[in-house]
Amino acid sequence: MKPRMRHERRLSLLYSPKYWLFLTLFCLLTASIVVYLGKQQLASAPSLEQKNEQFAAAKQTAAPVLRNALDFHMTDFEQGWLRYTDGMMKTEDGGVHWQETEASVPSEPAPGNEAADAAVLGLVDLSKYQQLSNLTFGSKVYAIKKIQFLTDRIGWALVEEPEELKIPLLVTADGGQTWSDEVTSAIRGAMLEEKARLQQLKKEAALYPSADIAKASIRAEWTVLPDTSAPGDVVLVRHNKPGKIEWLGKTYTLQPFGSGYFTYLPITMQAKPGKYPIGDQTLTIQAKKFDTQYLKVTQQMESMRQDTARIQADQKKINLARSKSEPEFLFSGPFVQPVEGVLTTPYGYTRYVNGKYDSAHMAIDLAAKEGTPIKATNDGVVALADSLYLTGNAIYIDHGMGLFSQYAHLSELRVKTGDKVKQGDIIGLVGTTGFSTGPHLHFAFWAHNVQVNPDLFFNTTPFQWLKAKE
C-alpha cells in the first residue's frame, strides 16, 4: 500500500497551485538572467559605425600603395592619358577629372586642334621648355620624367617621387612659373582663354601667303604691309599691342583682329616721297606721276555739277554709310575685278572737263555693255545701295576695318542696304546713270574715307602684300 500512496502524493503536487507558482517564478528568474547577460554582451560589442571607424583607422595606418606612372600625353586642351605599370587613366576635361580606361587613347590630336596647328605653324616656341629637368611645387623640388607644353603658357609635367601627390602630373598655366597638382577653376579658365587665343591666331595666320610670313609677322612687334608705297596707295599696319598711330595729320586707332591690332593707313596724293617711321619699322614712299585726261561733256551735264544742294544731301548719306565699319576683316580670299571691261580711265588721272581742271580721278572706269552683271569684289556688308545724283545708282560695300568698295552709274541695283554679300555675287548691272558719258562701271576703294588705288587689291589681299619678302 505504500507505493500507491507515493504516486498519489506526486499527482497531488501537479494540481497544487503552489507548485505552479513556484515553477513560474523560477522560469521568470531564469529568463531575466539570460536577458541581462545578453544585454551585457551586446553593450560590450562595437557598433556598425564603430566598426567602420576602426576600419578607416586601420586603413589610414596601413602603408599607401603607390602606382608607378610611366608616361603621359595631352592631345589637346581637353583630352589626354596617363599610363601606369598596372593600367591607364584618361581625362576629357583637361585634367580636372581622371578615370581608369582600357581603351587605347590616340597619341595624335584630332584635325583642327588649335595647339597642334599653332606649333606646326611655328607660332608658339616650345623648344625652351623641353630643356627643363626639374620644377618646384610647394616647398619641394621634383625631378621631371617627362614634360609637355601645348603653348608657351599651358603645360604638364610628370615628376619623380610623387608620394605626396594625388596624381604624379603637375600643371602650369603661366609658362612654368607656378605649378599645381590639380586643375583648379582658375587654371581651367586659363586653358579655355588660351584655346580661344590660338583660334584667333590661326584665323589671322590663314590670311598670309605662307606660314613663314605669318610666323614673321605675328612674332614681330610691328609689321607694315607693304613697306614700300606711293601716293594714292594704302598700307596695312599690324602691332602686337592696342594703340593709335599718328599719320599725315590724322589719328588712326589699331583694331584687334586675330592675335594682333590693325589699321589701314591711306597714302594721300599729297604725301611727299621719303621714309616714314611706323613703330620700329620704316615705310618708304616713292614718287609717282599720273597722266592727264581731257573730257568733253554737254552743257547740261556740266550744269549738274552746280547743284550743290543735291550733291551735299547725297554726300551726307555717303558719309553716314562709311562712318561705321565692321571691326574685323570680312574677307578671306582675294579681291576680284567686279566686271570684265575696257579700262577707259585708270586710277589717279588728272582730269580736265571741257578744258577746265576738274579733279584727280581716284577710281577706275571700266567700259562695258549696258546690263553687264557686276560682281562684289569680295565678302562684305552693303553699307549703302541707293540712287544718287552724280553717281546714279550706286553701291558701297563694307569689307571691315574701315575699307569700302564703291560701284557707280549702275542701270539696276540687285542688293539693298544691310545685305551680306560674298565675293562674286551679282550686285547690279552696268549702266550710265548720273554724271556719265556712256555705259561703264566707276569703281573705287575707300580706306578710312580716303580713296585709294583699286589695282592694289585685285587677285590678292592686303595680307599678301608682303609676298615679295618670301
Side-chain angles (χ1 to χ4, degrees):
M1 297 295 294
K2 289 182 178 179
R4 181 180 179 88
M5 292 177 61
R6 289 179 181 172
H7 180 68
E8 290 176 352
R9 186 177 295 173
R10 291 194 190 101
L11 289 175
S12 63
L13 288 173
L14 293 175
Y15 294 99
S16 171
K18 292 181 178 180
Y19 173 79
W20 288 108
L21 177 60
F22 175 80
L23 184 59
T24 299
L25 291 173
F26 177 80
C27 291
L28 289 172
L29 179 61
T30 303
S32 297
I33 294 171
V34 171
V35 170
Y36 173 79
L37 293 176
K39 287 183 176 180
Q40 290 294 104
Q41 186 175 4
L42 287 174
S44 62
S47 65
L48 179 60
E49 184 178 354
Q50 290 172 327
K51 286 182 178 180
N52 289 337
E53 291 176 353
Q54 292 172 0
F55 177 78
K59 187 176 180 181
Q60 289 177 357
T61 57
V65 178
L66 296 178
R67 300 178 70 184
N68 184 20
L70 301 176
D71 194 12
F72 84 97
H73 186 77
M74 299 299 296
T75 55
D76 53 35
F77 288 102
E78 280 78 35
Q79 301 186 53
W81 51 261
L82 177 61
R83 181 179 289 116
Y84 292 91
T85 53
D86 58 347
M88 180 176 285
M89 299 184 78
K90 69 174 183 178
T91 181
E92 295 181 348
D93 55 12
V96 178
H97 301 95
W98 292 86
Q99 60 184 12
E100 298 287 343
T101 179
E102 296 180 358
S104 59
V105 181
S107 59
E108 296 300 326
N113 179 271
E114 290 78 14
D117 289 349
V120 170
L121 288 170
L123 302 176
V124 290
D125 183 11
L126 308 180
S127 59
K128 62 181 179 180
Y129 298 109
Q130 306 305 321
Q131 311 302 321
L132 294 178
S133 59
N134 57 66
L135 60 84
T136 302
F137 170 61
S139 58
K140 184 174 179 179
V141 176
Y142 291 88
I144 296 173
K145 293 173 73 172
K146 180 180 178 180
I147 193 166
Q148 180 192 2
F149 274 77
L150 290 184
T151 73
D152 51 6
R153 303 176 189 177
I154 307 298
W156 286 263
L158 183 64
V159 298
E160 302 276 7
E161 301 178 3
E163 289 85 353
E164 306 88 351
L165 306 178
K166 301 174 184 177
I167 289 182
L169 198 59
L170 299 179
V171 62
T172 181
D174 56 14
Q177 297 182 49
T178 60
W179 294 86
S180 174
D181 61 347
E182 61 178 334
V183 179
T184 63
S185 59
I187 291 176
R188 183 58 179 158
M191 289 182 186
L192 297 178
E193 288 179 4
E194 191 73 343
K195 182 176 180 179
R197 183 180 75 92
L198 290 184
Q199 288 173 340
Q200 291 299 313
L201 187 149
K202 282 176 57 182
K203 183 179 180 180
E204 178 190 341
L207 297 177
Y208 293 95
S210 71
D212 288 340
I213 293 178
K215 180 169 62 176
S217 182
I218 289 172
R219 287 185 176 182
E221 183 177 356
W222 290 88
T223 304
V224 180
L225 304 88
D227 58 6
T228 300
S229 189
D233 290 352
V234 61
V235 298
L236 180 63
V237 175
R238 182 192 189 278
H239 187 33
N240 62 1
K241 300 181 184 67
K244 298 179 184 295
I245 297 178
E246 299 295 329
W247 174 249
L248 299 180
K250 292 186 178 180
T251 302
Y252 297 89
T253 300
L254 292 157
Q255 298 288 340
F257 177 82
S259 60
Y261 300 83
F262 293 82
T263 189
Y264 289 107
L265 295 183
I267 315 300
T268 64
M269 296 294 278
Q270 295 73 36
K272 296 180 179 180
K275 295 185 179 295
Y276 296 79
I278 305 291
D280 61 3
Q281 300 294 303
T282 299
L283 171 62
T284 301
I285 297 180
Q286 298 176 337
K288 186 175 182 179
K289 291 184 177 181
F290 297 94
D291 290 339
T292 301
Q293 182 186 46
Y294 297 89
L295 291 179
K296 286 188 177 182
V297 300
T298 66
Q299 193 67 32
Q300 181 182 1
M301 285 190 63
E302 189 172 9
S303 65
M304 289 181 66
R305 310 294 292 266
Q306 309 307 316
D307 194 342
T308 56
R310 292 190 66 178
I311 294 173
Q312 290 175 0
D314 284 348
Q315 193 61 49
K316 287 182 179 180
K317 290 183 183 179
I318 297 169
N319 291 344
L320 180 61
R322 293 202 309 254
S323 66
K324 299 176 182 178
S325 179
E326 292 295 318
E328 64 174 318
F329 298 100
L330 298 180
F331 57 84
S332 57
F335 290 78
V336 297
Q337 186 170 307
V339 68
E340 294 299 328
V342 177
L343 179 63
T344 57
T345 308
Y347 175 84
Y349 266 34
T350 301
R351 177 174 279 180
Y352 287 81
V353 177
N354 292 343
K356 297 178 182 179
Y357 172 77
D358 182 68
S359 64
H361 188 255
M362 307 294 286
I364 60 172
D365 285 343
L366 297 166
K369 183 179 178 180
E370 186 162 357
T372 301
I374 298 171
K375 298 177 289 187
T377 185
N378 215 328
D379 300 355
V381 179
V382 177
L384 181 66
D386 202 353
S387 179
L388 305 175
Y389 180 54
L390 287 181
T391 55
N393 292 324
I395 297 171
Y396 289 85
I397 296 178
D398 175 22
H399 301 289
M401 305 294 266
L403 181 69
F404 293 81
S405 57
Q406 177 192 359
Y407 314 74
H409 308 302
L410 281 62
S411 63
E412 182 180 325
L413 300 174
R414 292 285 181 89
V415 293
K416 62 183 183 301
T417 301
D419 285 351
K420 292 183 178 180
V421 295
K422 292 290 185 181
Q423 177 210 72
D425 286 351
I426 304 303
I427 59 174
L429 306 178
V430 170
T432 185
T433 56
F435 186 86
S436 171
T437 59
H440 75 286
L441 173 67
H442 173 96
F443 180 71
F445 272 103
W446 297 77
H448 297 303
N449 293 319
V450 176
Q451 285 183 289
V452 296
N453 192 348
D455 295 326
L456 298 171
F457 293 85
F458 296 145
N459 302 315
T460 186
T461 74
F463 284 88
Q464 300 189 15
W465 289 343
L466 278 181
K467 220 167 192 176
K469 286 191 173 183
E470 283 188 286

